Amino acid sequence: MKLYNTLTRQKEEFIPLEQGKVKMYSCGPTVYNFFHIGNARPFIMFDVLRRYLEYLGYDVKFVQNFTDVDDKIIQRANEEGISPFEVAQKYIDEYFIDADGLGIKRADVHPRVTETIDDIIEFVKGLIEKGFAYEVDGDVYYDSHKFGDYGKLSGQNLEELELGARIDINEKKRHPGDFVLWKAKKEGEPGWTSPWGEGRPGWHIECSVMSKKHLGETIDIHSGGQDLIFPHHENEIAQSEAFSGKPFAKYWVHNGYININNEKMSKSKGNFFTVRDISNQIDLEIVRFFMLSAHYRSPINYSEELLMQAKAGLERLYNTKEKLQFMLESADAVSNTADEGFVSELEGFRERFKQHMDDDLNTADALSVIFELSRFINTKLDETANHAFMEKSMELFKELTGVLNIVGKESQSELLDEEIEALIQERLDARKNKDFKRSDEIRDMLKEKGIILEDTRQGTKWKRA
């Protein structure tokens, strides 16, 4: 398997630090609101990376943090009239609702800043002792000029960065590029006791500390959105490598931006959508499928039209699965031995799928293979009732879609409520009794409920409109 490493700017063969094991850290949300569609992309894509590594047989330990103390959380607490800790817990709970809807597997560890304060204080003390940080009036800053490799991830030198508009001007700092590790407490803010007075951590320090605590000083993969390369991930490297004297992460993996109707997402433009907003309009599995339809490093354009195309594509795969399930349950077995030619062709789909996934997690082309498999299955089902072939086809279909965690919901036949089941049975009885008027009435009733019937040689099939 090869991954594009932002640090080296090239695809590299993935070789874990320890054979058979992967230590992976991915930046999680700041929990002051529902997360938006732009956040959803890294959450989904790096969930797939984790799942694929597990599919390949690796023992993956995956850590994703929650930033649960932050200026935005404090502001939201003041707006809602509750404590910052209540705000954080509220939106952590909401995060899991939306993440579950997107098919995102829970991390092995979801550490929180507020649970890691003592570790953060010790880490900051260590940086001061090593000469990489300094204290001014209760604030602690990282001295970016002391770290010779600063800028190696973003590909910029420190002087250029300090001339940029993104560097805050602060008279307390020795250099414009220095960044805060510990903030002195202000009135009305939460704070913790430290050697520098009451205060709270800066943003960048938390991920360095939580990664070290749960995965060790050097990890295999650090992932996140492209927008985090600078300053967040750049600062993580500076902190972690200054503290340990070791490389922080072997592979840095970043996803591309998402645009809304070909424009950058912005509240001022009115094209800002949370995943919760979208879930009120459409099944979130469609959003997941849509995200997988482009390579994770490429920009992706989000629009209602493209989402409807994704919906149609996902439905085609569900139709294949349900047709195959229907045939397995209703057709008579012709043979218990699958045709060797068919089996060989099935194996070819698996190999092509893996080739694309091994090529820097190319989910777009991997999805194309699944659609090819779908067409192959549908064609062969019209030619054979061989149970062994059907079983192997279903096994492979579920295997490949399972890696991407799509098409995994119960088949539609399992979703029928008692009323619709009774109507379908009543219609079958009416047809047997040649009561075609009643049969047509029931067909129309079911159509009104969004159920389309199809009478075949194997029996009556149905699908949702």
Side-chain angles (χ1 to χ4, degrees), residues 228-271:
L228 296 181
I229 295 175
F230 183 85
H232 187 50
H233 289 167
E234 195 74 73
N235 291 347
E236 280 188 61
I237 290 174
Q239 295 161 163
S240 297
E241 297 189 1
F243 184 90
S244 70
K246 302 174 183 177
F248 177 33
K250 189 174 181 182
Y251 303 91
W252 287 87
V253 185
H254 295 94
N255 65 276
Y257 291 112
I258 183 169
N259 294 319
I260 309 295
N261 294 316
N262 295 309
E263 290 187 327
K264 185 177 180 181
M265 186 169 60
S266 168
K267 288 184 179 179
S268 63
K269 292 181 179 179
N271 64 353

Side-chain angles (χ1 to χ4, degrees), residues 295-310:
H295 191 281
Y296 77 93
R297 285 195 292 116
S298 300
I300 189 171
N301 185 48
Y302 180 93
S303 70
E304 185 174 346
E305 180 183 358
L306 292 172
L307 208 58
M308 290 304 98
Q309 291 177 15

Side-chain angles (χ1 to χ4, degrees), residues 101-206:
L102 291 168
I104 296 166
K105 186 177 179 180
R106 302 288 173 96
D108 295 301
V109 187
H110 279 290
R112 307 185 187 191
V113 178
T114 56
E115 299 171 344
T116 321
I117 298 296
D118 290 343
D119 303 276
I120 291 172
I121 290 171
E122 289 303 309
F123 198 107
V124 174
K125 284 169 63 178
L127 288 173
I128 293 174
E129 291 168 2
K130 293 172 184 290
F132 286 95
Y134 57 94
E135 183 265 339
V136 182
D137 299 333
D139 294 329
V140 181
Y141 296 94
Y142 184 93
D143 189 336
S144 55
H145 282 246
K146 293 290 181 68
F147 186 69
D149 284 340
Y150 193 85
K152 65 181 179 180
L153 184 68
S154 58
Q156 305 175 71
N157 64 50
L158 191 56
E159 288 73 21
E160 290 172 342
L161 291 172
E162 291 185 336
L163 290 172
R166 296 181 70 180
I167 300 294
D168 294 331
I169 297 174
N170 185 327
E171 293 181 358
K172 290 183 178 181
K173 298 194 290 188
R174 293 177 183 171
H175 315 102
D178 295 353
F179 56 90
V180 68
L181 300 172
W182 185 266
K183 299 180 179 182
K185 180 182 177 181
K186 297 177 182 176
E187 186 175 351
E189 292 184 350
W192 288 264
T193 301
S194 79
W196 320 287
E198 276 201 287
R200 58 187 173 91
W203 175 37
H204 309 299
I205 191 67
E206 63 184 64

Side-chain angles (χ1 to χ4, degrees), residues 377-388:
I377 291 172
N378 283 316
T379 299
K380 296 304 178 186
L381 287 179
D382 292 336
E383 299 175 0
T384 181
N386 185 295
H387 263 234

Side-chain angles (χ1 to χ4, degrees), residues 333-344:
V334 173
S335 170
N336 290 324
T337 304
D339 183 280
E340 290 185 6
F342 286 172
V343 173
S344 177

